[in-house]
Amino acid sequence: QVHLVESGGGSVQSGGSLRLSCAVSGSTTTLVSMAWFRQEIGKEREGVAAIVGDDRTTYAESVKGRFTISQDKHKITSYLEMNDLTPNDTAVYYCAADPFMRSWSLALKTNGYLFWGQGTAVTVSS
């Protein structure tokens, strides 16, 4: 079993920055894809950023140019650098990973990922 634990969430003012981390532990299964999702209260979980394979990245339109996803060489930790935050970015952010998924069409879809973290809350005030 693979365990994902997010950290780095918190409260920040509009225009500020946060860096989220996702630590992978448990099974030595090689993870092919890793992603970040977010969910606002009362809304569906949406894909924010993903790395498919070793280096192909994709982003939701709403965060392009502001958010950057990265991972360490061994895919033990994933990061989401978030800049120029706005109140619309307020949500619980979830890390996700999958040992098989290489489909570009599933990169920002919840059904593309087998393993999920518990989430870390981000609050952006105006």
Side-chain angles (χ1 to χ4, degrees), residues 54-65:
D54 288 335
D55 58 2
R56 293 190 299 158
T57 60
T58 186
Y59 296 90
E61 285 296 324
S62 59
V63 306
K64 276 184 180 178

Side-chain angles (χ1 to χ4, degrees), residues 43-54:
K43 294 187 178 181
E44 291 188 357
R45 193 170 297 188
E46 63 171 354
V48 174
I51 296 180
V52 178
D54 288 335

